[in-house]
Amino acid sequence: MSARKRRGSPRPSPVEAQNDALQRFLPLVSAEELPLLLAELQRPVSQALRANPLKVADPAQALGAWAAAYGWETSPVPYCPTGWWVHQAARPISQTLEHQLGHYYIQDAASMLPVELFTPHNGEPPLTLDLAASPGGKTTHLISRSGDQGLVLANDSSQSRIHALRLVLHTWGSVNHAVTCFAGERFGAWFPETFDRVLLDAPCSMQNLRSTESHPMRAISPRERDSLSVRQRNLLISAFQALKTGGEVVYATCTLSPEEDEGVLDELLRRFPGAVEIVDLSRRLPAPAPGLSSDGQRDFDPAVQRAARLWPHRFGTSGFFSALIQKRAPVAAPEGGPPARSLTREGMAPLPAARVRDLALRQGERYGFPLETVLENCNLELWQKGPQVWAVPRAFLSRFGDLPHESIGLPLGTDTPDGFQPGHDWVSRFFDQHRSGREILDAAQSAAWLRGEDLPGTPQHFAHGEAAVVVDEQGRFLGLGKAVTGRLRNMRPRRLAG
Ligand SMILES: C[S@@+](CC[C@H](N)C(=O)[O-])C[C@H]1O[C@@H](n2cnc3c(N)ncnc32)[C@H](O)[C@@H]1O
């Protein structure tokens, strides 16, 4: 039991925690900016969303259509072309079909900055490591930025947060990713000089000056802060070692504590002199938001001012910190290879070529879906695990084939006694390419279907046990159905019931 509990003193409320943090940060804000910060903190922060270019061909056009349909008042997030604030909403942004389908992700606007900082790739699609990824908001952004080409290795050390990460990536429709669960500190030794991009969205004290219902601020002791900054430093060193020379690391936190922000960058610069280049972000942002030169007790390396410190009044966000770091020279890394467990030991086996051809033929005949072309364009192979068939990234197999993983790629579907049943997330991702085998529902039927009900009556165009792609009158994907005697059985995943 903690000393506080033994003494019976109550924990500071989120508002008290926010006030404490504000008092601590006040000396770091200039006299001219202070009134702006205080005024900003009186305003509620607007919700924001980021559109999914894997599923939405023209994000701006889609945003316009959603705004009209759901009564949203929006404005663009200036540094993220796929991001918008939603200031007013007749229908909440968390309660739409498009949200369920992964057409957009709800994300604080500050959190849209870090991934936008990576330089656009040209040539080979990038090999990306997301070192602390759960629940996966920024992982989806990394996947959008690479067009789901190359590979995103999404890692998080917390087993209890892996399920959420996997779900977010499957809903987003990503195929070229793998999920692992290791301490991020190990990657520098396991994979030195390997990745083109590394994102470290570090575990932090969340002293961001905005306490919301979903993310209440809590008080942090100096001891806790110190131990967090040691962890952040070790994670950033590991991220830097795992990066290829010439590659980029983005370091981000959702805290304004200098010990966890500029202080961590300062230590990286000292650790690897001559190898670390902190990129000047002043021209990359709509207005300057420089890092601090000092925390009041010690002066930092002047290079850390090139980072972005988002006091809430800069862009109307929560407090946030981000830096883009380039690797100019190789650095020493501890020795030690990664653990290995073959895919066969995981119960996975490559699908024989004849079975792939057969599946492709049936998918083509029934849904007009060009399976082999999609596998080729996305650089995927089909593997079987139990009754499930998975589309697995070749980039994972060739580089990390034996690395124990939590999941890789996306399920294409499942073998059932009634034949092959396509996977919901697969069809949702490649919906436009499933041109036939559709069942169109009217408005009343669609509403019932979305409540999880079956559709009464035997569907005409489907053999017994066959899967139908169910759409509404606007042509939106409502899930898959299975034709059985007397009804179309609702196969929407239970997680979407509501
Ligand atoms: C700020 S959150 C990441 C949020 C995520 N990037 C997103 O955008 O949705 C930090 C994450 O770091 C993870 N974490 C904490 N210590 C870690 C470590 N040593 N190695 C890897 N992950 C760690 C936590 O489990 C937590 O999920």
Side-chain angles (χ1 to χ4, degrees):
M1 188 188 278
S2 72
R4 182 187 285 280
K5 276 192 182 150
R6 270 200 308 275
R7 286 198 305 271
S9 59
R11 246 176 204 289
S13 69
V15 173
E16 286 165 339
Q18 183 177 357
N19 283 336
D20 286 354
L22 183 58
Q23 290 308 318
R24 204 163 73 81
F25 296 151
L26 283 184
L28 305 174
V29 184
S30 70
E32 304 84 68
E33 292 205 70
L34 189 55
L36 300 176
L37 173 61
L38 297 177
E40 176 62 34
L41 294 181
Q42 301 304 312
R43 286 189 272 273
V45 68
S46 292
Q47 282 196 299
L49 61 82
R50 187 168 39 73
N52 182 354
L54 303 181
K55 294 187 175 181
V56 171
D58 182 337
Q61 194 181 47
L63 192 276
W66 302 331
Y70 300 129
W72 295 347
E73 191 189 296
T74 67
S75 66
V77 175
Y79 44 78
C80 178
T82 51
W84 284 269
W85 276 289
V86 180
H87 307 287
Q88 301 282 341
R91 167 86 63 97
I93 59 176
S94 59
Q95 287 172 29
T96 70
L97 179 61
E98 286 79 5
H99 181 239
Q100 273 195 356
L101 291 173
H103 287 198
Y104 58 81
Y105 188 85
I106 299 174
Q107 187 175 44
D108 181 76
S111 294
M112 297 179 193
L113 178 64
V115 176
E116 286 298 328
L117 297 178
F118 286 109
T119 308
H121 72 275
N122 46 23
E124 279 293 291
L127 195 55
T128 304
L129 171 63
D130 189 353
L131 205 57
S134 292
K138 295 180 195 71
T139 322
T140 63
H141 199 174
L142 287 167
I143 286 158
S144 301
R145 288 282 326 265
S146 62
D148 203 15
Q149 297 288 332
L151 182 77
V152 174
L153 196 61
N155 177 73
D156 200 279
S157 64
S158 166
Q159 186 67 55
S160 64
R161 290 168 65 88
I162 292 293
H163 177 68
L165 174 59
R166 206 169 25 208
L167 213 60
V168 163
L169 296 181
H170 285 190
T171 305
W172 201 244
S174 164
V175 289
N176 274 307
H177 72 265
V179 175
T180 59
C181 183
F182 297 111
E185 289 87 341
R186 317 293 290 277
F187 280 74
W190 290 353
F191 301 109
E193 289 281 329
T194 300
F195 295 92
D196 301 294
R197 296 173 171 176
V198 182
L199 173 66
L200 173 55
D201 184 28
C204 72
S205 62
M206 301 192 343
Q207 305 294 288
N208 59 23
L209 295 180
R210 299 270 202 194
S211 201
T212 61
E213 219 167 284
S214 56
H215 294 95
M217 263 184 70
R218 67 180 186 90
I220 292 284
S221 69
R223 201 161 142 201
E224 216 175 331
R225 206 165 44 231
D226 289 348
S227 105
L228 274 168
S229 69
V230 169
R231 186 161 8 147
Q232 290 152 347
R233 182 196 62 201
N234 291 338
L235 283 168
L236 185 54
I237 288 170
S238 171
F240 199 69
Q241 289 163 329
L243 186 70
K244 277 182 193 157
T245 300
E248 295 178 334
V249 173
V250 167
Y251 177 70
T253 71
C254 59
T255 189
L256 292 164
S257 295
E259 304 83 343
E260 302 177 60
D261 295 336
E262 289 87 350
V264 174
L265 295 185
D266 188 74
E267 293 197 42
L268 187 75
L269 285 157
R270 281 172 211 268
R271 170 81 181 232
F272 300 121
V276 178
E277 168 88 14
I278 299 184
V279 178
D280 186 355
L281 298 180
S282 56
R283 296 225 191 93
R284 305 271 300 267
L285 296 170
L292 298 171
S293 57
S294 157
D295 63 2
Q297 284 166 10
R298 63 171 170 151
D299 290 341
F300 298 124
D301 186 308
V304 307
Q305 291 170 60
R306 299 182 195 147
R309 164 170 278 269
L310 269 54
W311 292 107
H313 63 282
R314 300 268 190 216
F315 307 124
T317 63
S318 303
F320 204 82
F321 183 83
S322 244
L324 175 63
I325 305 164
Q326 288 177 343
K327 185 166 174 180
R328 292 284 177 226
V331 296
E335 290 190 3
R341 192 170 64 221
S342 70
L343 289 185
T344 334
R345 271 192 58 201
E346 302 257 3
M348 296 184 75
L351 215 61
R355 177 83 207 284
V356 177
R357 276 197 302 277
D358 181 52
L359 264 180
L361 193 71
R362 283 158 191 250
Q363 295 263 310
E365 279 171 3
R366 194 62 190 104
Y367 307 108
F369 181 67
L371 178 63
E372 281 171 314
T373 309
V374 168
L375 296 178
E376 216 38 55
N377 290 346
C378 297
N379 204 18
L380 302 168
E381 275 179 24
L382 294 185
W383 284 62
Q384 183 113 29
K385 182 170 187 180
Q388 269 196 324
V389 175
W390 285 74
V392 172
R394 286 201 189 107
F396 180 87
L397 298 170
S398 60
R399 309 292 292 266
F400 306 100
D402 284 347
L403 183 68
H405 63 267
E406 302 295 317
S407 74
I408 27 175
L410 198 63
L412 175 76
T414 308
D415 285 324
T416 75
D418 291 325
F420 187 75
Q421 176 78 31
H424 173 93
D425 294 317
W426 178 271
V427 177
S428 174
R429 159 74 195 268
F430 296 108
F431 173 61
D432 288 351
Q433 295 181 67
H434 288 77
R435 296 177 200 285
S436 52
R438 293 184 172 201
E439 181 75 6
I440 302 170
L441 307 192
D442 65 27
Q445 290 171 322
S446 297
W449 188 261
L450 291 175
R451 288 195 298 272
E453 295 171 21
D454 292 349
L455 196 70
T458 307
Q460 302 278 306
H461 323 287
F462 299 93
H464 182 86
E466 214 175 21
V469 176
V470 178
V471 299
D472 68 6
E473 288 172 321
Q474 296 166 53
R476 299 181 301 178
F477 179 51
L478 297 184
L480 292 158
K482 188 172 184 174
V484 294
T485 312
R487 66 203 158 104
L488 187 64
R489 188 187 295 158
N490 197 323
M491 303 299 282
R492 269 165 63 84
R494 246 177 278 148
R495 67 176 201 261
L496 302 179

